Amino acid sequence: MLDRIFDYLNFHFSVEAPIVLLILIFLEAVLSADNAIALAAIAQGLEDKQVERQALNLGLVVAYVLRITLILTATWVQNLWQFELLGAAYLLWLVFQHFTSQETDEEHHHHGPRFKSIWQAIPVIAFTDLAFSLDSVTTAIAVSQEKWLVLTGATIGIITLRFMAELFIRWLDEFENLEDAGYMTVALVGLRLLLKVVNDDLVPPEWLMITAIGLILAWGFSKRTANTVPQELPEKSEVSK
């Protein structure tokens, strides 16, 4: 029984395995930056910070199960362009909803979807991660055909994603353009998936995507919100008056 499982997962440990695993973890970390900010921005649709964190925890548990399923069925999924089309349509719909909705929170400038309960946010978080994973899983499998290595990389990647999302939750309140920058990166990933469906030759290389996402995030961090700018101390002469 174990032999069959190991054969299915291509479990053959070699000297190169730790190096390949490090490469997969690095790729997961790099490719998770845009995913993390998107999930953090979605979680902002809940009004309470504690509930936001609970939604991320539960949403990423569901997302992890979906990622593992995607990896185990990757050979079959890669032959069905409909999955990539649905993923692209879903991500672009999130972007459209964000940029066409009005601001509902003047303090935090949030004008994305609002959730009445944590159970509404969890599936949105999980399926957003799944849509992002359609691209990252393909990249991971291109690096290694050994499923156990890809699964290990995905496990570490989802943990990394959780901590990165936690950071972005704090930064979204501190930087005025960061939420818009996050949804712009979501648009890039959605357009890339759409181009893969239309014609693989039109898909921009990974380095170009990472550079574009880096520039967008740099713009996102370029301006602090007014309520986080430290106030200047009054002049001594004014205090004495």
Side-chain angles (χ1 to χ4, degrees):
M1 181 66 179
L2 285 176
D3 291 341
R4 291 181 181 179
I5 296 173
F6 287 160
D7 286 340
Y8 179 74
L9 296 177
N10 296 325
F11 188 86
H12 305 292
F13 191 82
S14 61
V15 178
E16 296 85 4
I19 299 173
V20 175
L21 182 58
L22 285 174
I23 293 172
L24 289 172
I25 292 171
F26 174 76
L27 284 173
E28 284 284 351
V30 171
L31 297 174
S32 290
D34 52 349
N35 194 353
I37 187 174
L39 298 185
I42 289 170
Q44 270 206 326
L46 294 161
E47 296 181 358
D48 185 84
K49 291 296 178 186
Q50 184 65 27
V51 179
E52 284 181 21
R53 290 172 174 82
Q54 290 174 359
L56 274 175
N57 289 334
L58 295 173
L60 287 178
V61 168
V62 178
Y64 177 68
V65 174
L66 294 176
R67 263 202 209 197
I68 298 303
T69 304
L70 181 62
I71 292 169
L72 295 177
T73 59
T75 305
W76 176 68
V77 169
Q78 285 175 336
N79 293 327
L80 295 175
W81 57 267
Q82 291 89 342
F83 280 101
E84 290 179 338
L85 181 60
L86 285 173
Y90 177 74
L91 292 178
L92 293 175
W93 172 78
L94 285 178
V95 175
F96 175 80
Q97 189 179 38
H98 171 76
F99 285 109
T100 58
S101 60
Q102 296 180 349
E103 292 186 5
T104 57
D105 189 335
E106 294 181 359
E107 182 182 354
H108 299 108
H109 306 285
H110 178 77
H111 49 93
R114 282 286 180 185
F115 306 108
K116 294 181 180 179
S117 72
I118 189 174
W119 304 111
Q120 291 180 333
I122 288 172
V124 178
I125 290 171
F127 283 108
T128 301
D129 178 77
L130 180 64
F132 272 86
S133 298
L134 288 171
D135 205 25
S136 62
V137 166
T138 303
T139 304
I141 291 175
V143 173
S144 175
Q145 292 296 317
E146 297 191 30
K147 287 189 176 68
W148 74 272
L149 278 174
V150 179
L151 289 171
T152 304
T155 302
I156 296 172
I158 207 83
I159 295 170
T160 305
L161 178 61
R162 175 63 186 86
F163 285 107
M164 289 177 71
E166 179 76 23
L167 286 174
F168 278 115
I169 280 180
R170 295 206 302 266
W171 290 337
L172 281 168
D173 289 337
E174 296 180 19
F175 297 93
E176 186 173 323
N177 299 325
L178 191 55
E179 186 177 9
D180 287 342
Y183 277 96
M184 288 168 67
T185 64
V186 174
L188 280 181
V189 175
L191 289 172
R192 190 172 192 271
L193 283 174
L194 190 59
L195 288 175
K196 286 182 71 175
V197 174
V198 176
N199 189 340
D200 257 336
D201 295 333
L202 298 175
V203 177
E206 204 70 55
W207 67 266
L208 185 58
M209 284 288 293
I210 292 172
T211 303
I213 289 170
L215 291 173
I216 291 171
L217 291 182
W219 171 75
F221 284 106
S222 64
K223 185 178 180 182
R224 288 183 177 272
T225 52
N227 57 349
T228 60
V229 178
Q231 296 181 352
E232 294 183 4
L233 293 175
E235 297 291 337
K236 288 183 179 181
S237 57
E238 294 180 3
V239 174
S240 60
K241 292 179 182 179

